[in-house]
Amino acid sequence: MLLRVLLLAPVLMFVGSWPALAPTDPDYWWHVRTGQLIFDTGSMPRADVFSWTAAGQPWIAHEWLTELVLYALQVRVGYVANVLLIGALGSLAAVALFATCRRWGAGDLLAIVLVLWAFGMSLGSFGVRPQSLTRVLLTVLALLLVVYRQTRDARLLWLLPPLFALWSNLHGGFAVGLALLGLSVLGETIGAWRLNTLRSAAPLAMVFVASAAATLLTPNGLAGLLYPLSYAQTSFGGQQLVAEWQPPDLRQLSFAPFGLSIVLALGLGLSRRPLALTDTLVALGFTLLALQSVRNIQLYATVVTPLIGARLAAEVPSLRRLVSAWRRPLRFAALWSAVAMLCAAVWILRFTQTPAWGLQLGREPLATVYPVGGATYLRDHALRGRLFNQFEWGGYLIYASYPEQRVFVDGRPDMYGPQVLNEYVTVERLLPGWREVLAARDVSLLLIDRDGPLAAEVGRDARWRELYIGPVERLFERAP
């Protein structure tokens, strides 16, 4: 046990410290401001108050508990507290993933490699964001389901309804957890039907119903349960604006771990022993999710990587070897050093490649790529006109300028719907009719990318005057 802990230690330190290297997520800002709004008013927001384009539209704050925690930690301690929290949760997810791989028969070394591999596939999603909570809860759910299928101890299953009650208040990703549980019910039911023992699948089915009912225990009730479906209605608008909602381009080097895992899964065959129909259904479902959207790759890595490990251990028996079987201390020391040096090398490489960000260990999150100067100018000069802003800056402007200034758009595409998102794309990309959109919306202020085509075009237009230029932004006001 001690040797296993020592082997895991550098991996856990590596994963746990990664959020300190991550840039501030564009949505973090409005999440914290939402937490403050809930804290100050003592109630849930029911309609949008942050924008002027969707003012008064129904708002389902499905991440309210996470937002409250993020706000409380930042106010009491600083952004570094949120970095430490997400880092600790990432380490917890790594431990649960390691345990899942071990349950499937992977040896200690193979399990360590699989954890690092899953982490490599998920690098783009590691940061201080509510989605990180879905990753750790999905990992715990997958572990509990594997333990149940191997032990048939139904008592473990009754941990799931409380888990889903908490999850549904933390992040809308609980729907993915219900999908995993539903696929498990389907696979186990078909397997039991083939053996004429349908009664054996009953506990899992009952827990699925109880877990689905538990997701109603939120301030949003049924609307919160149905909320994830809203993304299916607005995804075509959001995909134009958010890179992580687009399908992964497997030709890019950053997606090589994901592409390799698919090739390996196809080669090994995830329908062969020790896997069963349930695992095949789960692998297919989460592979489709990952191919649909980059942000789903971390979910795929969490669920499918242990299944690949199970097949590798079945085909290569030496990969099932435990660290306790190593009789030579020098071999263990060499392996530990290799794992530690690999983690340190990746950590240092990441840090040296992003010097503009630095370490996120301060009281305030770093805002290097956000329009700090432009927001300050707006506030200091009490400019109150209708503002058109860059999509990725909307969250920061809510954090820095609300309630004095409202935004055109921010990282809540379900709030704005296709019309506002398409209008934004029309203006930001100078598509035909972009001037008419600004006129129809009576926009009088522009806070936009300093080096973008829109800034260049507006800068040549006598109907707009430049008020401020900063490191990343230019602020324009419509001339009288």
Side-chain angles (χ1 to χ4, degrees):
M1 182 64 181
L2 178 61
L3 292 178
R4 186 172 294 157
V5 172
L6 290 174
L7 193 60
L8 267 174
V11 176
L12 299 183
M13 292 179 63
F14 174 57
V15 174
S17 63
W18 195 262
L21 295 172
T24 309
D25 189 81
D27 292 339
Y28 173 81
W29 311 97
W30 69 259
H31 283 308
V32 170
R33 183 61 77 197
T34 303
Q36 181 183 8
L37 184 66
I38 296 171
F39 181 83
D40 290 343
T41 63
S43 62
M44 294 283 292
R46 299 297 181 182
D48 179 45
V49 296
F50 292 147
S51 76
W52 60 267
T53 49
Q57 290 292 321
W59 180 14
I60 300 175
H62 66 287
E63 299 157 319
W64 72 273
L65 186 55
T66 303
E67 291 161 343
L68 200 56
V69 171
L70 293 178
Y71 168 71
L73 288 177
Q74 177 157 323
V75 169
R76 296 288 184 179
V77 183
Y79 184 72
V80 63
N82 287 320
V83 168
L84 294 175
L85 172 64
I86 299 301
L89 291 175
S91 296
L92 175 60
V95 171
L97 184 60
F98 178 86
T100 305
C101 294
R102 286 286 301 110
R103 275 280 175 178
W104 277 117
D108 292 323
L109 179 57
L110 176 58
I112 288 288
V113 171
L114 292 171
V115 169
L116 289 174
W117 188 7
F119 178 73
M121 284 191 275
S122 310
L123 278 182
S125 300
F126 268 76
V128 180
R129 53 191 304 187
Q131 191 181 13
S132 298
L133 298 170
T134 281
R135 180 175 60 250
V136 65
L137 292 173
L138 184 66
T139 312
V140 172
L141 172 62
L143 174 59
L144 290 175
L145 288 175
V146 170
V147 172
Y148 166 72
R149 289 174 57 196
Q150 293 179 350
T151 65
R152 294 299 168 178
D153 185 353
R155 292 174 298 178
L156 289 174
L157 290 180
W158 292 106
L159 295 174
L160 299 187
L163 178 76
F164 275 97
L166 175 64
W167 196 346
S168 60
N169 287 282
L170 293 172
H171 186 252
F174 71 87
V176 177
L178 284 178
L180 174 59
L181 186 53
L183 288 172
S184 299
V185 172
L186 178 61
E188 293 297 293
T189 301
I190 295 175
W193 175 73
R194 289 176 175 175
L195 299 174
N196 294 320
T197 57
L198 281 175
R199 185 175 299 178
S200 64
L204 197 58
M206 288 189 294
V207 167
F208 173 77
V209 173
S211 298
T215 63
L216 297 173
L217 300 178
T218 73
N220 298 308
L222 182 60
L225 176 60
L226 299 178
Y227 168 80
L229 298 178
S230 65
Y231 282 88
Q233 301 171 8
T234 60
S235 60
F236 65 92
Q239 282 182 349
Q240 300 180 72
L241 305 175
V242 185
E244 69 171 12
W245 287 356
Q246 299 175 9
D249 184 356
L250 298 181
R251 296 170 298 180
Q252 296 182 16
L253 183 61
S254 58
F255 294 119
F258 173 55
L260 177 60
S261 73
I262 293 180
V263 172
L264 195 56
L266 291 174
L268 291 169
L270 297 188
S271 60
R272 300 170 61 189
R273 293 184 179 276
L275 305 181
L277 175 62
T278 299
D279 307 300
T280 304
L281 292 175
V282 167
L284 287 175
F286 278 80
T287 300
L288 291 175
L289 277 177
L291 291 174
Q292 182 185 44
S293 173
V294 170
R295 65 184 284 134
N296 294 330
I297 290 179
Q298 65 168 335
L299 309 177
Y300 165 92
T302 295
V303 175
V304 179
T305 301
L307 306 182
I308 296 175
R311 289 292 303 125
L312 284 171
E315 295 294 331
V316 186
S318 61
L319 294 178
R320 298 198 292 264
R321 191 178 184 187
L322 303 181
V323 68
S324 58
W326 299 352
R327 301 302 181 187
R328 298 183 181 180
L330 287 179
R331 288 186 178 181
F332 176 81
L335 176 61
W336 187 92
S337 300
V339 172
M341 287 189 292
L342 173 63
C343 294
V346 176
W347 201 93
I348 293 171
L349 182 64
R350 169 72 173 186
F351 180 70
T352 56
Q353 283 187 339
T354 56
W357 284 104
L359 288 176
Q360 295 268 31
L361 298 177
R363 184 167 185 82
E364 287 289 321
L366 296 178
T368 312
V369 298
Y370 296 98
V372 179
T376 302
Y377 189 97
L378 283 170
R379 183 174 60 251
D380 291 347
H381 292 78
L383 298 176
R384 298 290 184 269
R386 288 189 167 186
L387 174 70
F388 178 90
N389 59 277
Q390 293 289 142
F391 175 83
E392 61 272 20
W393 294 347
Y396 175 78
L397 292 173
I398 290 172
Y399 180 85
S401 303
Y402 176 81
E404 289 79 13
Q405 182 61 257
R406 312 296 174 97
V407 298
F408 184 95
V409 71
D410 64 84
R412 299 172 297 160
D414 56 301
M415 178 65 63
Y416 298 98
Q419 180 177 347
V420 174
L421 295 178
N422 289 333
E423 288 180 359
Y424 171 82
V425 171
T426 297
V427 175
E428 199 267 340
R429 300 182 182 178
L430 299 178
L431 300 179
W434 69 272
R435 294 183 189 275
E436 288 74 10
V437 171
L438 293 178
R441 289 285 188 177
D442 193 26
V443 172
S444 58
L445 295 167
L446 303 173
L447 186 58
I448 51 180
D449 182 7
R450 187 184 73 170
D451 301 319
L454 179 59
E457 184 67 25
V458 172
R460 294 190 292 266
D461 193 332
R463 288 169 289 187
W464 295 90
R465 61 181 181 182
E466 186 176 85
L467 300 180
Y468 177 83
I469 183 169
V472 299
E473 77 273 31
R474 291 174 75 178
L475 176 63
F476 294 92
E477 182 181 38
R478 189 175 59 199

